[in-house]
């Protein structure tokens, strides 16, 4: 299509993203000169972090070896970017890459029911049930706890999904914020909920 005519497209400096993902990733990250961590990273999440940051280090965590390899290829030549193939619910597998001080910002692109993309992926509906969604909600809480453990004081955690279910969005961050010491909800436009750790 016309994407090849976009400045920086062939060099990997830009990528196609939906309006929803663009608004979410760009609206809540703090200023540059910091360390970012993207968990359950997909190519769009890693590129969102790269586009929003001019000099910080970006750490992307991806469980799938295939997707991790694609991320490494996408970020080739970016000396400040690192891709870790690991389980994002197990910080011991990737915490070292974030540094001793933790990350100033974390983008958690959580696995979900995919109810928000049924128009383009209608088959996703037949793969979900009440039980599977409940299991996903518990996985999302484990991911939030793991990401939070590597967030530096004063940092921000942006939680995103492609689900339309409140249980996987507003209720998920509200549940987590109620249990996490020092967590406060920061409104977004549109409000999906970001978590900000206050100074001790």
């Amino acid at each position: 299509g016309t994407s090849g005519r976009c400045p920086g497209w062939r060099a990997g400096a830009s990528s196609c993203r939906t309006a929803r993902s663009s608004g979410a990733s760009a609206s809540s990250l703090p200023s540059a000169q910091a360390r970012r961590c993207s968990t359950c990273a997909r190519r769009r999440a890693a590129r969102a972090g790269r586009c929003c940051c001019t000099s910080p280090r970006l750490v992307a965590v991806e469980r799938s070896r295939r997707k991790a390899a694609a991320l490494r290829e996408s970020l080739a030549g970016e000396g400040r970017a690192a891709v870790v193939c690991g389980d994002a619910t197990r910080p011991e597998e990737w915490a070292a890459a974030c540094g001793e001080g933790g990350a100033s910002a974390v983008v958690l692109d959580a696995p979900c029911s995919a109810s928000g993309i049924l128009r383009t992926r209608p088959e996703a509906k037949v793969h979900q049930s009440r039980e599977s969604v409940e299991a996903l909600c518990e996985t999302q809480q484990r991911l939030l706890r793991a990401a939070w453990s590597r967030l530096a004081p004063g940092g921000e955690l942006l939680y995103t999904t492609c689900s339309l279910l409140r249980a996987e969005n507003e209720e998920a961050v509200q549940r987590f914020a109620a249990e996490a010491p020092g967590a406060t909800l920061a409104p977004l436009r549109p409000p999906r909920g970001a978590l900000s750790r206050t100074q001790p």
Side-chain angles (χ1 to χ4, degrees), residues 107-118:
V107 178
L108 174 55
D109 185 11
C112 67
S113 62
S115 59
I117 58 171
L118 292 179

Side-chain angles (χ1 to χ4, degrees), residues 100-127:
E100 294 183 1
S104 60
V106 174
V107 178
L108 174 55
D109 185 11
C112 67
S113 62
S115 59
I117 58 171
L118 292 179
R119 184 172 63 87
T120 56
R121 289 183 55 194
E123 73 278 5
K125 184 175 182 179
V126 301
H127 297 307

Side-chain angles (χ1 to χ4, degrees), residues 51-189:
C51 292
C52 290
C53 313
T54 56
S55 63
R57 177 172 174 79
L58 170 69
V59 178
V61 183
E62 172 56 61
R63 186 171 186 174
S64 164
R65 292 183 182 275
R66 178 181 59 82
K67 293 179 181 179
L71 280 169
R72 291 190 183 98
E73 181 180 354
S74 175
L75 296 173
E78 294 289 332
R80 61 183 183 271
V83 178
V84 178
C85 184
D87 186 344
T89 65
R90 300 173 61 85
E92 63 271 18
E93 294 186 8
W94 48 268
C98 294
E100 294 183 1
S104 60
V106 174
V107 178
L108 174 55
D109 185 11
C112 67
S113 62
S115 59
I117 58 171
L118 292 179
R119 184 172 63 87
T120 56
R121 289 183 55 194
E123 73 278 5
K125 184 175 182 179
V126 301
H127 297 307
Q128 299 298 340
S129 64
R130 180 184 297 274
E131 292 74 20
S132 67
V133 171
E134 290 175 351
L136 282 166
C137 289
E138 293 307 312
T139 298
Q140 291 156 4
Q141 291 301 308
R142 291 197 299 273
L143 287 165
L144 281 164
R145 288 193 292 269
W148 188 256
S149 72
R150 296 309 305 156
L151 186 66
E156 291 187 348
L157 191 160
L158 174 63
Y159 171 86
T160 71
T161 74
C162 57
S163 170
L164 297 177
L165 303 179
R166 290 182 59 86
E168 296 185 272
N169 292 300
E170 292 89 345
E171 292 176 8
V173 293
Q174 289 167 1
R175 171 185 170 186
F176 178 77
E179 300 173 355
T184 57
L185 289 173
L188 295 176
R189 298 178 183 178

Side-chain angles (χ1 to χ4, degrees), residues 26-45:
S27 62
S28 66
L29 291 179
S31 60
Q33 311 297 330
R35 187 180 298 267
R36 272 33 170 200
C37 179
S38 177
T39 64
C40 293
R42 298 182 177 92
R43 189 171 302 199
R44 62 170 185 163

